[in-house]
Amino acid sequence: SPGPIIEQFTLNFTITNLRFTTDLGTPSSARFNSTKKIMQHYIDPLFKRSSISSAYTGCKVMRFRSGRDRDNTGVDAVCSYKTNDSLATFDREKVYHELSTMTNGVTKLGHYSLERNSLYISG
């Protein structure tokens, strides 16, 4: 039987207390890099406490974008997990509900406030 295959899914959400600026939208800028590290600090533990924890291999923040309100910042990440018969399967709806619960109904991520209906997971 073949070894694990790496699969990907996207994670998107909007932060309401992180003002979007052009340097945040510029990959490799100091602000982009520091905010990316902070997001990793908050995102990774969520998945490590989820039903896919044994298969989770990490998320990479790809971009920050302006939200509907310029005071909001959208976050787009690509996440990876291993899949084979012995590992937990990726159930997008189940993971969404787990993340929703862990972020107080999609309202808090650490010291950041989230736009309630902004969490999206594709799989």
Side-chain angles (χ1 to χ4, degrees), residues 6-111:
I6 301 296
E7 300 281 348
Q8 293 184 323
F9 62 96
T10 59
L11 171 70
N12 313 95
F13 55 91
T14 301
I15 299 171
T16 59
N17 61 337
L18 176 62
R19 185 169 178 74
F20 182 79
T21 58
T22 45
D23 59 338
L24 190 54
T26 305
S28 78
S29 73
R31 184 150 191 245
F32 178 93
N33 289 334
S34 64
T35 306
K36 179 179 170 179
K37 284 180 186 171
I38 293 166
M39 286 301 119
Q40 298 294 149
H41 172 78
Y42 288 123
I43 293 170
D44 284 340
L46 294 176
F47 286 104
K48 289 178 180 173
R49 292 192 325 258
S50 76
S51 61
I52 65 163
S53 62
S54 62
Y56 175 72
T57 59
C59 284
K60 181 177 180 188
V61 173
M62 302 303 286
R63 79 179 182 129
F64 297 103
R65 57 187 155 67
S66 179
R68 283 189 299 258
D69 176 341
R70 193 116 165 103
D71 287 339
N72 298 348
T73 297
V75 179
D76 299 329
V78 175
C79 305
S80 303
Y81 64 98
K82 296 175 288 194
T83 180
N84 71 19
D85 293 340
S86 66
L87 295 172
T89 57
F90 180 73
D91 179 336
R92 184 177 65 85
E93 288 186 27
K94 182 176 185 179
V95 172
Y96 173 88
H97 288 294
E98 291 169 346
L99 265 57
S100 177
T101 299
M102 287 186 263
T103 57
N104 295 341
V106 192
T107 60
K108 293 298 269 178
L109 181 63
H111 67 270

